[in-house]
């Protein structure tokens, strides 16, 4: 996970990890490894969403300014 994945790729990988963890079929050590990867993916997704929200807010504000 050295290069940054797209939001969609990260979300899909996170969903796969959650599914594996929920199945209860992984050994404890493997579950911990997957949980660690999952928390990194969650943060990555959250950061990407935050950036997108800021861009949307800026674009929306610029439209409001044009209307004045």
């Amino acid at each position: 996970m050295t290069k940054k994945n797209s939001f969609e790729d990260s979300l899909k990988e996170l969903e796969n990890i959650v599914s594996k963890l929920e199945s209860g079929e992984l050994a404890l050590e493997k579950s911990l490894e997957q949980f660690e990867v999952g928390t990194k993916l969650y943060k990555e997704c959250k950061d990407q969403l935050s950036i997108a929200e800021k861009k949307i807010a800026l674009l929306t504000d610029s439209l409001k300014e044009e209307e004045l």
Side-chain angles (χ1 to χ4, degrees):
M1 212 173 71
T2 54
K3 79 172 194 132
K4 196 166 196 160
N5 294 330
S6 71
F7 174 81
E8 293 80 9
D9 290 341
S10 295
L11 185 59
K12 181 173 267 191
E13 190 176 347
L14 181 56
E15 289 171 341
N16 288 334
I17 289 172
V18 168
S19 179
K20 288 178 193 176
L21 290 172
E22 287 180 339
S23 75
E25 296 178 8
L26 296 177
L28 178 61
E29 186 64 32
K30 189 67 175 171
S31 292
L32 289 172
E33 289 172 10
Q34 290 294 290
F35 185 78
E36 183 177 0
V37 172
T39 56
K40 289 177 184 176
L41 287 167
Y42 168 78
K43 184 181 180 331
E44 189 176 303
C45 287
K46 185 178 171 190
D47 290 346
Q48 289 178 15
L49 281 175
S50 178
I51 290 168
E53 287 174 343
K54 288 175 185 173
K55 286 181 182 178
I56 290 170
L58 286 172
L59 291 169
T60 304
D61 288 345
S62 70
L63 290 173
K64 287 178 185 174
E65 290 173 7
E66 287 181 14
E67 293 174 357
L68 296 177

